[in-house]
Every structure is written in C-alpha cells, then in structure tokens.
Amino acid sequence: MKKTIIARTLLGLLSGGVLLSALPLSVAVAADPLLEANIIEAETKVIEADSADLRAKDADLASVSFGKWLPELVEQFNRLPEVQAQLVRQQQAELAIQAADRAVYNPELGLNYQNADTDSYSVGLSQTLDWGNKRGVATRRAQLEAQMLLADIGLERGQMFAERLLALAEQAQASKALTFADQQLRFTKAQLNIAEQRLAAGDLSDVELQLMQLELASNSADYALAEQAALVADGKVIELLGNDQFAFSEFIGSIEGAFTQFSKASGTEPRLPALTFAYQQVLLARANAMQVKADTAADPTISIAAEKEGTDNKLGIGVSVPLQVRNNYSELQAIAEKDTAIAEQQYLARERVLTAKRKQVEHALPRLLARYQDWRELVQISGAKAAKSLSQQWQAGDISTSDYLQSRRQLAASYLVGLNLETAIYQTWLTWMGESGQLMPFVEQIVSSPSAFKQANAAPSITPNAAAGTANE
C-alpha cells in the first residue's frame, strides 16, 4: 500500500499536481497488483494528455505578443464616450482659432434726418481701427490654447489608458492567483486522501490527519478570497472598458527595453509631453499679458459723413481717439506680468517634480526587475526541486506532516510574492508613463509598427500551471 501511494504521488508530481484528485481510484483495487498497474498506466496517459493541453494553452497565450493584442485594446479605448468627448473638445479648439482670426471691429452706419425750416439729411460711415493688434494677439492666444488643449488631452488620454492597462494587468494577476488557489485546493484534497490511506495503513496519526484537514480548510478560504479579488478585478475592467474579455498577455519582458528608450528622452531635450504642457502655460500667460496691452490700447475711429441741408451738400471726415487720461490701465498690465512670473515658477516646480519622479522610477524599476528575475529563477528551479523532494519525503514518512505543510505554505507564499512583484512593476512603469505623457506615443508607435516591438524572449513570467507544479509537488 505504501509503495502504491508513493508511486502514484510521483506520477502526480510529473504532471504538476493537476489531476491528483484521481488518486483514490486505486484504493479499491490495491490488493490486485496487475489491475493496479493498469490503473496507474491509464492515469499516467490522462495526466500526460492534460499536461500537454495545458502547455499548449500557455504557448498560445505567450504567442499573443504585445503588438498583436494592443491595437484591439486601443480601438476599444477610442470608442469610449470619454475619448469621444475629447475629440469634440479638439473641434472646439479649431473653431476658437477661426473665431479669433476674425476682424475685431465692424463698420458702423449712421443715418440722420432733421425736420426744420430747412430739412437736412445725413449719412455716415465709421470704422474703428485695430491699432493695438487685438486680432493678432487673440489669434495667437487661441492657437496657444488649442496647443495646450491638445497637450492636455494627450496627458489625459495617457493617464486614462495607463489606468485601463493597469486594470487589465491586475485582472491577469488576480486570475493567476485564483488558478493557483484552485490548484492548491485540489492538490490538498488529493493529499488528504493520501493521508487517509496512510492513516488506514497505520503510517499516519490522527493529529496529522487533522492537520491536513485544517490545511484543506485554509486552502478553501484562500480560494474564496482569491475568487473575491478576481471578481473585483473583473468589475474594475468592466467599469473602465465596458467588458472584461480582452486578449491580454504579459509584457514585463518589454518594459525594461521601453523604459530604457524613453528614459533617454526624459531630459529637457526633447521635452517630456507633461513639461510641454507646462511650458505652453507660460507662453499663454505671456500672450495674456499681450492681450491686456492690446485690449487697453487706444484704437482710433475714422468716420466719413455726407449731409444735405437744403440745397447745400456737405462732406465730412472725422477721427476720434480715446484719451487714456483718467485710467491708463497700467495696473492690469502689471497683474498680467505677474501671472507670467507665476506660470514660469509653476513650470519650474512641475519640472522639479517630474525630474524627481523620473529619478525615483529609474532607481526603483531596475531593482524590481532584478528581484523579479531572481524570484523567477528560484521559484522555477530551486523551488520546484525543493517541493518535489519535500513531497517525496512526506510520502515516505521521513518528515512530519506539520513540517511538510509549513514548507508548502512557504513555497505558495513565494509564488504570491512573485505576483505582487509583477503588479509592482506594472504599476511603477504605467504610472510613470501616464504622468509623463510618454505612454500614448509609445502605444501609437507599437500600433503603427508592431514588428518593432516584439515580445522579449528573456524568461517569461511563471504561468499558473508552472506555479502549481512548483508549490504543489
């Protein structure tokens, strides 16, 4: 009996612990070695078939590169009402430029009739001249406002897209955690069956069986929490994108190269999109100062009038100029100049904040990627070997059930730490790319030329099935 249990457990280890729930099938026929061997052979074929199917699914998921599923996401993103509203705002900015480029003053037509001993008729036409260049300043200001609006929309779109891309990444992480919790639960059920067989054979105590039962209850609670987290992640994706069915695959392998590329462009030349927006605010403040000066300028008015009084015909030409004696509007101009100084300081403050964030990301992201690489190697290689050895020792009775369960919990915790590392990498990179305004240019470049950004071949992250083969062995 003990040899049968160990042999069937080793078969489960080779399969990654996926179909260990089938173990009790051999209990009823343990007395017949030939029939038992046939059952083990049949179970081995099923296990190998299911393992091949799981590997095929993982290969299909890995083949969906960043440049293949991203265009569909961008298309779905562009159909959102929030993005459509941004397009209308762009049209408003274009109309504002056209409106500002119109003439400031329209001509005035005057008619006059006077009934007296000698009737008089007069007609006059007057036109105020744009001596202070109000039209040119207004056009320049509208152009700057349109450029600011486009820059603001670009930043806003980048942050919105980063939020949705991060939601998809978190959904993928939650799904992996749920799959892992499910495999842990099913594996513990199979181990509990083995423990019951060992108890019947006198190879395990009642206390150790109760420990396995407690472990099953703990795994059931973990599965419930993982399912709740997955539902929350699905709900967030539905809230942001309208549905939760997207062809998403991990792209951590592409983050390092993309970060290196964009970090080179994070200085003042070329200026970050976020800093471009802040600098345009400075230019707009200067244009506002020019507009105050133009609006308060004394624009002359030229008039021409024709009059008929009795038999006399008269022609008159007049010029009127406002006299800025009581108010020369110097205070308004001084206020506008102060606004320019404020905008310049705000630009410097924004530059300081973005520079600090860039340095922080450049300091944190390589470390996170390095720790992620270390974790991946340890979990996939050393962790898998340790898990198999521990499982074999427990089956043989060389270690206690409590020590075995504690080791399994440590291996499971190491996998969950890896998921947290992946999430931290996504959060760090996407938040920075969104706030700095670099995400949408990066995405547009991938969509326009996906072959330039193929998925990196360096060590893909652990899949849920590989994790099950690590922590469940």
Side-chain angles (χ1 to χ4, degrees):
M1 173 69 73
K2 188 173 181 179
K3 292 181 180 179
T4 301
I5 296 173
I6 294 175
R8 300 188 71 248
T9 303
L10 290 177
L11 289 174
L13 291 173
L14 293 176
S15 69
V18 176
L19 293 179
L20 286 175
S21 59
L23 284 173
L25 293 176
S26 64
V27 176
V29 293
D32 190 339
L34 180 59
L35 185 58
E36 181 178 324
N38 292 335
I39 290 178
I40 292 177
E41 182 180 0
E43 288 180 356
T44 303
K45 293 180 179 179
V46 174
I47 288 172
E48 290 176 351
D50 275 33
S51 299
D53 181 63
L54 290 173
R55 287 193 297 270
K57 290 181 179 179
D58 291 339
D60 291 340
L61 180 62
S63 65
V64 183
S65 65
F66 197 24
K68 290 183 179 180
W69 58 265
L70 190 60
E72 180 182 354
L73 178 61
V74 172
E75 182 179 357
Q76 179 75 16
F77 175 74
N78 289 334
R79 291 198 296 264
L80 293 176
E82 302 94 319
V83 180
Q84 294 297 317
Q86 292 174 344
L87 297 177
V88 177
R89 290 170 59 192
Q90 294 180 11
Q91 296 173 359
Q92 284 182 329
E94 295 174 357
L95 292 174
I97 295 176
Q98 297 177 8
D101 197 33
R102 298 293 184 180
V104 178
Y105 299 111
N106 287 314
E108 296 181 6
L109 178 64
L111 298 174
N112 186 36
Y113 166 72
Q114 187 175 14
N115 185 8
D117 295 338
T118 303
D119 294 340
S120 61
Y121 308 88
S122 63
V123 57
L125 184 66
S126 62
Q127 173 68 60
T128 302
L129 303 180
D130 186 10
W131 203 264
N133 195 24
K134 291 180 175 64
R135 176 180 177 180
V137 174
T139 302
R140 172 59 177 164
R141 188 175 183 275
Q143 291 172 346
L144 287 174
E145 288 179 343
Q147 293 174 4
M148 280 186 58
L149 178 61
L150 293 177
D152 184 38
I153 289 176
L155 285 176
E156 187 177 343
R157 281 170 58 86
Q159 293 172 356
M160 290 169 57
F161 195 78
E163 182 182 11
R164 283 151 179 81
L165 202 55
L166 181 58
L168 288 174
E170 291 176 346
Q171 182 191 37
Q173 303 304 94
S175 177
K176 288 166 58 177
L178 179 61
T179 302
F180 178 74
D182 177 60
Q183 292 170 345
Q184 286 284 88
L185 179 60
R186 290 189 287 112
F187 180 80
T188 304
K189 289 179 180 179
Q191 294 294 79
L192 181 59
N193 291 330
I194 295 175
E196 292 173 349
Q197 297 172 33
R198 291 183 61 186
L199 178 65
D203 192 33
L204 201 70
S205 66
D206 290 335
V207 174
E208 291 179 301
L209 180 62
Q210 291 175 3
L211 289 177
M212 293 298 298
Q213 291 172 343
L214 290 175
E215 182 69 12
L216 179 62
S218 176
N219 289 154
S220 179
D222 291 339
Y223 177 79
L225 292 176
E227 187 174 28
Q228 181 182 3
L231 291 174
V232 171
D234 291 342
K236 186 175 181 180
V237 172
I238 293 174
E239 177 185 355
L240 294 176
L241 289 168
N243 64 80
D244 60 345
Q245 301 299 325
F246 288 93
F248 175 84
S249 62
E250 298 176 356
F251 56 95
I252 290 183
S254 302
I255 287 181
E256 185 174 4
F259 175 74
T260 302
Q261 173 187 353
F262 279 89
S263 62
K264 294 178 180 179
S266 59
T268 56
E269 293 295 339
R271 187 180 290 114
L272 287 174
L275 283 179
T276 300
F277 174 75
Y279 184 71
Q280 286 172 341
Q281 288 180 317
V282 177
L283 297 180
L284 181 61
R286 295 174 181 173
N288 288 337
M290 295 175 59
Q291 185 171 18
V292 170
K293 185 178 181 180
D295 290 341
T296 57
D299 292 336
T301 300
I302 299 177
S303 61
I304 182 172
E307 182 179 354
K308 180 177 179 61
E309 185 176 357
T311 59
D312 297 334
N313 296 324
K314 301 178 181 179
L315 179 64
I317 298 177
V319 177
S320 62
V321 179
L323 298 178
Q324 297 181 347
V325 177
R326 301 181 61 187
N327 186 3
N328 59 4
Y329 306 101
S330 59
E331 291 80 6
L332 293 178
Q333 296 179 13
I335 292 174
E337 292 173 358
K338 295 296 183 182
D339 288 339
T340 302
I342 293 173
E344 290 173 350
Q345 295 301 318
Q346 289 176 342
Y347 168 79
L348 294 176
R350 180 63 174 164
E351 183 181 34
R352 177 179 57 82
V353 170
L354 285 177
T355 301
K357 287 185 177 181
R358 175 178 59 83
K359 292 181 179 179
Q360 182 180 3
V361 172
E362 289 178 349
H363 176 74
L365 190 57
R367 291 172 177 263
L368 289 174
L369 291 171
R371 299 293 78 76
Y372 178 73
Q373 179 68 23
D374 295 341
W375 165 83
R376 185 166 48 203
E377 294 175 355
L378 291 173
V379 171
Q380 279 188 322
I381 300 175
S382 302
K385 293 180 180 178
K388 180 179 291 188
S389 176
L390 287 170
S391 182
Q392 292 173 349
Q393 292 177 31
W394 179 74
Q395 297 288 340
D398 294 337
I399 61 173
S400 65
T401 302
S402 60
D403 292 339
Y404 171 63
L405 293 178
Q406 183 179 3
S407 301
R408 274 193 57 200
R409 295 188 195 104
Q410 291 175 348
L411 290 173
S414 68
Y415 173 72
L416 297 178
V417 167
L419 292 184
N420 292 333
L421 270 175
E422 291 181 355
T423 303
I425 292 172
Y426 284 129
Q427 287 178 339
T428 301
W429 187 72
L430 289 173
T431 301
W432 162 248
M433 294 292 285
E435 289 184 355
S436 62
Q438 300 178 97
L439 183 59
M440 292 314 296
F442 173 68
V443 170
E444 290 170 358
Q445 187 174 1
I446 293 179
V447 172
S448 60
S449 57
S451 59
F453 288 90
K454 291 183 179 179
Q455 188 80 351
N457 295 325
S461 80
I462 290 181
T463 62
N465 301 315
T470 298
N472 291 335
E473 289 179 348

